[in-house]
Amino acid sequence: RKFEMGRPAALCKLGHKRVRSVRGRGGNMKYRALRADAGNFAWGTEHVAKKVRILDVVYNATSNELVRTKTLTKNTIVQIDAHPFMQWYTKHYGIELGKKGKKGHGAEEGKEAPEEKKSFKVLGKQQARAAGQKIDPTLDDQFQTGRLLACIASRPGQSGRCDGYVLEGEELAFYKKKLEKKKKN
């Protein structure tokens, strides 16, 4: 019977975007991502999402084979480019992320002012936002390398997209520990 039919797995790989459409039951369309290289990733604590490049597949709970072949599935841990988030953070708070020499955020703002003129209203807004702002040290370390760990939340073989969220807090600590254990072996 037609409704009992199954199809082979898409096994979306890391590479230049390649999506095929598949007709499903009821005339609905599914989009098979055969390859993907970018996606929308959300930074939960800052309530912002950016389209970023996926750089590498780092961990998959299912199998190390999927890591070796750089296969993108739901809940795969990937490394993404941090620069779109860094640019947004600089624009929103007036603070540059990922700078190694930290003598306080005031010194960094002083450096930035000559490059780009900002009105007093904008400076006031940025200072008000930055007053209560605290970034997680483990996340800040990642911004220094320019790569963030993220989790894929969508199903690339069904939706044709590779979207997810940036790992933070306990979840980030959990996967960091997993990656450290993997490096030892």
Side-chain angles (χ1 to χ4, degrees), residues 98-117:
K99 294 292 178 194
K100 289 190 170 106
K102 284 192 176 177
K103 294 187 174 85
H105 295 303
E108 290 173 12
E109 287 179 45
K111 277 188 227 166
E112 209 174 303
E115 292 174 18
E116 187 182 327
K117 284 191 175 182

Side-chain angles (χ1 to χ4, degrees), residues 36-63:
D37 59 354
N40 274 325
F41 284 85
W43 186 2
T45 54
E46 294 298 327
H47 307 290
V48 67
K50 295 283 174 197
K51 185 175 181 177
V52 293
R53 275 187 322 126
I54 300 169
L55 302 173
D56 196 15
V57 177
V58 183
Y59 179 78
N60 194 317
T62 310
S63 168

Side-chain angles (χ1 to χ4, degrees), residues 13-19 34-37:
K13 300 277 198 281
L14 190 61
H16 186 69
K17 185 177 175 183
R18 185 184 295 171
V19 180
L34 303 177
R35 291 190 190 155
D37 59 354

Side-chain angles (χ1 to χ4, degrees), residues 7 22-30:
R7 292 190 188 92
V22 177
R23 185 189 177 278
R25 190 164 162 86
N28 297 311
M29 297 302 284
K30 287 184 175 184

Side-chain angles (χ1 to χ4, degrees), residues 28-177:
N28 297 311
M29 297 302 284
K30 287 184 175 184
Y31 298 95
R32 291 260 186 275
L34 303 177
R35 291 190 190 155
D37 59 354
N40 274 325
F41 284 85
W43 186 2
T45 54
E46 294 298 327
H47 307 290
V48 67
K50 295 283 174 197
K51 185 175 181 177
V52 293
R53 275 187 322 126
I54 300 169
L55 302 173
D56 196 15
V57 177
V58 183
Y59 179 78
N60 194 317
T62 310
S63 168
N64 283 333
E65 181 73 9
L66 297 177
V67 177
R68 192 181 62 76
T69 56
K70 297 187 188 307
T71 303
L72 303 171
T73 59
K74 184 176 173 154
N75 222 45
T76 299
I77 306 303
V78 292
Q79 275 188 338
I80 60 171
D81 184 21
H83 289 91
F85 291 112
M86 289 163 77
Q87 288 168 349
W88 173 84
Y89 199 88
T90 304
K91 193 173 182 181
H92 195 72
Y93 293 107
I95 301 167
E96 282 192 39
L97 282 175
K99 294 292 178 194
K100 289 190 170 106
K102 284 192 176 177
K103 294 187 174 85
H105 295 303
E108 290 173 12
E109 287 179 45
K111 277 188 227 166
E112 209 174 303
E115 292 174 18
E116 187 182 327
K117 284 191 175 182
K118 294 179 184 171
S119 67
F120 288 111
K121 186 177 179 180
V122 170
L123 288 171
K125 273 185 186 176
Q126 286 181 341
Q127 286 169 352
R129 288 174 187 153
Q133 182 56 24
K134 183 81 174 90
I135 192 161
D136 185 24
T138 52
L139 205 59
D140 197 36
D141 292 342
Q142 288 187 335
F143 276 113
Q144 286 178 2
T145 62
R147 292 169 167 235
L148 296 174
L149 286 179
C151 181
I152 297 174
S154 67
R155 299 169 68 194
Q158 303 290 320
S159 65
R161 295 166 183 235
C162 201
D163 304 336
Y165 57 93
V166 175
L167 294 177
E168 300 177 273
E170 290 178 16
E171 198 173 7
L172 177 60
F174 174 80
Y175 285 113
K176 279 236 180 211
K177 199 182 291 181

